[in-house]
Amino acid sequence: MHLPDTFYKNRKLENLVENQTSFTLNNAAMHVFETHQQAERVLLQFDKPVLASMLHGKKIMHLRDHNSFDFLPGESLILPADELMCIDFPDAEHRNPTRCLAMAISEDKIKNVVTLMNENIGKADGQEWSLMDYNFHFTNDAGIFQILQRLLFLFTENHPSKDFFVDNMLQELIVRILQTNNRKIYTDKALKLSNDNRLAFIIQYIREHLHESLSVETLSKKACMSESNFYRVFKNELGISPVDFINTERIKLAVSLLQDPNKKIKNVYLECGFESRSYFNRVFKRMNQISPGAFQAKAAQH
């Protein structure tokens, strides 16, 4: 839904956070938030570009001019400086807090890395690299996941050279993020669909029925359209086919479920609506450059 100004109440995240740990270095500040109670419409804002990454639990994110979306473990979000976030914490509780990492990065650091990339790393399309694509919601691949874990360690380590170490890791993180455009979870078009758009209902239906069989035939009937017209309208408005959108949503859910080291792969792919493990493995690896089993094993190491 698109949010009116009245939706944003004057509430600060700090009032609802029992444990907030912050570390500040030359080019970045890292904040780890633990939220211990359910809450709605909580405001958070940073004066620098920020990378937010979910560690545990679930948030529902409301950003201006965008539809609301779930924010789950294994996902990250890039936001510009001064972007106002409005956040719901539907599952937070004292014994099972919602945990999120937020890292504010200086714009000068980002610009310097972009300049280095243009001097040393060409883009496939021959164009120049540019500043980060803000309001960019993506699934962490294995490389980004490991960098975030390493940064968590470096920020908390008492080492005289940690500013230098963090700077190097930030450079790699920014390069990797700029190269992940093909792993966007939501296209800009999908995020900006108005509530009265008939595809908005279909997108919501897909997200609520991922565990079920979903076909273009079923979805087109719910949209009161022919299959061919539904496919054409969906692809034109969202820039992605219905099947690719469904698979992207299912893999997003799988990434979250695989954070649990005790979860069986079979249970994960069935909960996500995949009918065979081989197809699940193929789609997961195509989107994340790592198999589901290897991803789960890496997540369990941290």
Side-chain angles (χ1 to χ4, degrees):
M1 59 181 285
H2 295 284
L3 300 174
D5 289 338
T6 53
F7 186 88
Y8 293 86
K9 295 183 178 178
N10 186 25
R11 303 173 70 185
K12 299 297 182 184
L13 183 62
E14 290 80 358
N15 299 338
L16 294 160
V17 175
E18 195 163 290
N19 185 5
Q20 176 188 341
T21 309
S22 298
F23 306 90
T24 302
L25 295 176
N26 285 341
N27 286 313
M30 178 176 284
H31 312 276
V32 178
F33 297 106
E34 285 192 356
T35 305
H36 290 253
Q37 67 183 77
Q38 293 182 9
E40 292 183 346
R41 303 180 184 182
V42 178
L43 300 184
L44 183 62
Q45 191 174 36
F46 294 91
D47 61 1
K48 292 182 175 62
V50 65
L51 167 73
S53 190
M54 281 299 294
L55 302 175
H56 182 77
K58 171 183 172 180
K59 291 181 179 181
I60 300 173
M61 302 294 292
H62 311 281
L63 305 176
R64 291 189 188 277
D65 302 321
H66 289 79
N67 291 311
S68 303
F69 58 91
D70 291 349
F71 193 27
L72 302 171
E75 297 175 9
S76 291
L77 179 66
I78 299 288
L79 294 167
D82 301 316
E83 176 84 5
L84 184 63
M85 293 173 266
C86 190
I87 310 168
D88 298 341
F89 299 85
D91 302 328
E93 56 185 34
H94 184 69
R95 293 184 179 180
N96 188 31
T98 296
R99 298 183 69 234
C100 179
L101 173 159
M103 186 161 53
I105 306 171
S106 80
E107 294 198 61
D108 284 344
K109 177 65 178 178
I110 296 171
K111 289 176 182 176
N112 289 341
V113 174
V114 170
T115 299
L116 280 172
M117 290 180 72
N118 281 320
E119 292 172 353
N120 298 283
I121 308 172
K123 284 183 77 173
D125 60 6
Q127 301 296 310
E128 287 204 337
W129 297 99
S130 57
L131 287 180
M132 288 186 181
D133 185 2
Y134 292 117
N135 293 339
F136 172 16
H137 180 201
F138 60 96
T139 302
N140 300 332
D141 62 17
I144 289 175
F145 176 81
Q146 290 177 332
I147 290 173
L148 291 175
Q149 296 296 325
R150 178 70 177 159
L151 282 168
L152 273 168
F153 170 77
L154 289 174
F155 269 93
T156 57
E157 186 187 26
N158 185 21
H159 193 287
S161 301
K162 71 177 183 179
D163 251 316
F164 176 76
F165 297 152
V166 167
D167 252 11
N168 285 336
M169 294 303 295
L170 281 177
Q171 179 168 311
E172 182 178 350
L173 179 64
I174 293 166
V175 170
R176 287 182 180 271
I177 289 172
L178 285 167
Q179 293 176 332
T180 57
N181 281 335
N182 62 331
R183 287 190 291 282
K184 282 188 181 182
I185 295 174
Y186 304 98
T187 65
D188 289 340
K189 292 179 179 178
L191 278 169
K192 293 180 178 179
L193 282 179
S194 61
N195 274 354
D196 57 1
N197 185 299
R198 54 184 157 180
L199 289 187
F201 163 74
I202 296 299
I203 288 171
Q204 190 63 32
Y205 179 85
I206 290 170
R207 290 173 182 156
E208 291 174 356
H209 296 82
L210 289 175
H211 59 288
E212 300 175 9
S213 177
L214 293 169
S215 67
V216 171
E217 179 185 7
T218 301
L219 298 175
S220 62
K221 286 179 179 177
K222 291 192 173 294
C224 301
M225 300 164 73
S226 69
E227 286 186 47
S228 58
N229 191 40
F230 172 76
Y231 185 94
R232 181 182 58 78
V233 170
F234 195 102
K235 184 86 181 280
N236 286 345
E237 293 207 21
L238 274 75
I240 186 173
S241 74
V243 172
D244 286 343
F245 183 84
I246 291 166
N247 281 340
T248 300
E249 291 290 303
R250 285 175 167 163
I251 295 302
K252 170 193 160 193
L253 176 60
V255 165
S256 178
L257 295 175
L258 288 169
Q259 306 291 319
D260 180 355
N262 299 314
K263 196 89 170 173
K264 294 187 182 300
I265 301 290
K266 181 177 181 180
N267 292 340
V268 171
Y269 78 73
L270 290 175
E271 283 183 45
C272 296
F274 287 98
E275 295 180 359
S276 77
R277 177 161 182 170
S278 60
Y279 182 59
F280 169 63
N281 284 350
R282 192 161 67 250
V283 176
F284 191 98
K285 192 165 186 178
R286 187 179 76 236
M287 293 188 181
N288 295 293
Q289 290 73 53
I290 189 172
S291 71
F295 181 90
Q296 186 178 45
K298 283 183 178 295
Q301 292 171 7
H302 301 280

